[in-house]
Amino acid sequence: MRAVILAGGLGTRLSEETTVRPKPMVEIGGKPILWHIMKMYAHHGVTDFVICCGYKGYVIKEYFANYFLHTSDVTFDMSQNEMLVHHRRAEPWCVTLVDTGEASMTGGRIRRIAEYVRDEDAFCLTYGDGVGDVDISAAIAFHRSHGRLATLTAATPPERFGVLDLDGDAVRRFQEKPTGEGAIVSAGFFVLSPKVLDLIDGDATVWEERPLSCLAASGELMAYRHSGFWQPMDTLRDRMLLEELWARGAAPWKAWD
């Protein structure tokens, strides 16, 4: 199964960091949050990734093109014009980087990578700025068990996000960022049938609006309930929280060795 990661937005609420790099490349513990998300998926056996690039996407491409340089000790012998990489740290990943346009909305980015997932039985999708101790294997198994087109991960938010109206495990209504308190929200970590691509009209389509609303209205959107830790990195305060957890060795999302 492939995991598609949305990594092309402007990240304006984290402008202290995103003036020079895309938000998924903002570091937690010296590693981009994108790396943390990929490690989460890889822990559950999902190692084939499609990254939806946009704003400053070249930074993401450079990171993976020079992955050994970013993760290993290196000796440069200037007299011999040679480079020696010590203790190469490889990941068992296949990473496809797709330019999905700087101005595309979330739905538009998903539609632009259709060729990489259309022939799959299902694929994972998440945002490039949120981590949690989500049991991705269980979410995939839940998706396969109910036979509907789409599954999202429902969590209790640290702040306000799109609210879900649930009837058992079925999503009856999806409302983006309403007023009020105490709601369950979408944390991303979707598992989707490629048939959902038919609900995306083009680059201007916002995934969280018409496509998810249509899926909910037709009874094709289900919720995998996650009661553990989940934290998006929307602001500098969020980043500092995640950094503190990592520094203390108390990062709930770190399930890998």
Side-chain angles (χ1 to χ4, degrees), residues 53-200:
C53 300
Y55 172 70
K56 295 188 182 297
Y58 63 87
V59 178
I60 300 175
K61 292 179 180 179
E62 187 277 334
Y63 177 78
F64 287 105
N66 297 296
Y67 189 79
F68 287 137
L69 292 179
H70 288 287
T71 59
S72 305
D73 297 330
V74 184
T75 296
F76 294 97
D77 187 337
M78 310 303 285
S79 64
Q80 300 296 319
N81 194 28
E82 293 179 349
M83 179 183 73
L84 175 63
V85 179
H86 304 277
H87 310 296
R88 289 174 178 257
R89 296 181 177 90
E91 301 285 355
W93 299 346
C94 177
V95 184
T96 301
L97 304 171
V98 182
D99 183 359
T100 57
E102 287 203 9
S104 298
M105 297 292 101
T106 48
R109 296 192 190 284
I110 298 168
R111 186 174 179 84
R112 287 207 184 194
I113 58 86
E115 64 181 288
Y116 299 100
V117 298
R118 192 175 292 281
D119 294 332
E120 302 291 323
D121 175 59
F123 66 96
C124 296
L125 169 74
T126 198
Y127 304 103
D129 63 356
V131 291
D133 56 352
V134 178
D135 189 337
I136 294 170
S137 295
I140 293 171
F142 174 73
H143 176 79
R144 288 175 170 159
S145 71
H146 62 61
R148 309 294 174 81
L149 294 183
T151 299
L152 54 72
T153 295
T156 302
E159 295 186 41
R160 301 298 303 154
F161 291 91
V163 167
L164 309 178
D165 179 10
L166 297 182
D167 180 5
D169 289 327
V171 180
R172 298 305 182 193
R173 187 168 61 96
F174 184 94
Q175 185 177 358
E176 178 69 0
K177 298 182 181 178
T179 58
E181 297 297 331
I184 299 172
V185 306
S186 170
F189 296 98
F190 300 91
V191 188
L192 305 170
S193 163
K195 293 179 181 178
V196 303
L197 297 168
D198 296 335
L199 297 172
I200 302 173

Side-chain angles (χ1 to χ4, degrees), residues 229 242 245-246 248-255:
F229 176 86
L242 294 173
L245 289 171
W246 186 266
R248 289 196 288 110
W253 67 91
K254 186 184 182 300

Side-chain angles (χ1 to χ4, degrees), residues 24-67:
M25 294 304 293
V26 174
E27 294 180 351
I28 304 298
K31 297 286 176 60
I33 192 169
L34 177 62
W35 177 89
H36 290 262
I37 296 166
M38 295 169 75
K39 290 287 283 187
M40 288 171 54
Y41 274 101
H43 178 70
H44 290 273
V46 180
T47 58
D48 194 343
F49 299 97
V50 179
I51 312 297
C52 300
C53 300
Y55 172 70
K56 295 188 182 297
Y58 63 87
V59 178
I60 300 175
K61 292 179 180 179
E62 187 277 334
Y63 177 78
F64 287 105
N66 297 296
Y67 189 79

